[in-house]
Amino acid sequence: PRQPAKTLWYDRPRYVYLEFCVEDSTDVKVVIEDQRLVFSCKNADGVEFYNEINLYARVNSKDSREKRSDRSITCFMRKWKEKVAWPRITKENIKPAWLSVDFDNWRDWEGDEEVERVMVEQYAEV
């Protein structure tokens, strides 16, 4: 049986970030559409994870990427409307049990664009 991966998210002026917390993931598949993200993978024990998120607002699926590490898979999606805050990541105003805000990365936007640009460039190099 599939189960949802624990997921953290945070919002930035130009991108919205999702981190699927699965260690030693294999068979990672990420499908980013304009208003939907589908994630699936397996972990070292062969457990299957599956998350489907109807996104709060439209993203530019062409300018969205993911990066896998031993601990998690991070996706970042370019907002269609930049500099518009997302109050939540899901279209529906409900919070699934597996989803939480990444407070370590959540902060005020002031002066944040430069930080974000550097971050995205680092991701792009991977």
Side-chain angles (χ1 to χ4, degrees):
R2 303 186 300 188
Q3 61 186 67
K6 180 176 181 299
T7 308
L8 298 170
W9 83 281
Y10 60 101
D11 186 42
R12 282 283 186 270
R14 283 178 291 183
Y15 288 84
V16 58
Y17 296 80
L18 274 167
E19 182 178 7
F20 297 100
C21 304
V22 180
E23 293 190 10
D24 302 324
S25 55
T26 58
D27 294 349
V28 175
K29 292 186 188 67
V30 178
V31 179
I32 297 170
E33 297 167 358
D34 288 353
Q35 287 207 269
R36 193 171 78 119
L37 178 142
V38 179
F39 166 83
S40 64
C41 75
K42 291 181 179 148
N43 70 5
D45 299 325
V47 177
E48 286 185 45
F49 292 92
Y50 179 87
N51 298 62
E52 188 173 325
I53 298 172
N54 290 313
L55 298 168
Y56 172 75
R58 192 172 169 195
V59 296
N60 182 347
S61 53
K62 307 261 183 299
D63 190 9
S64 299
R65 313 196 177 92
E66 75 272 351
K67 172 191 155 195
R68 185 195 162 280
S69 74
D70 293 339
R71 288 179 51 242
S72 63
I73 300 93
T74 304
C75 304
F76 53 107
M77 300 170 285
R78 184 77 175 249
K79 294 176 178 180
W80 199 257
K81 290 193 176 123
E82 298 190 1
K83 298 182 187 159
V84 175
W86 286 26
R88 57 182 190 271
I89 188 87
T90 53
K91 192 176 180 62
E92 308 81 18
N93 194 5
I94 47 162
K95 193 183 133 344
W98 45 265
L99 182 68
S100 27
V101 169
D102 183 350
F103 286 107
D104 291 346
N105 282 304
W106 190 281
R107 53 176 183 265
D108 291 334
W109 282 5
E110 220 150 300
D112 209 29
E113 302 228 359
E114 190 54 31
V115 175
E116 185 182 34
R117 194 180 61 74
V118 169
M119 231 165 91
V120 168
E121 281 172 5
Q122 283 173 343
Y123 272 118
E125 285 162 20
V126 171

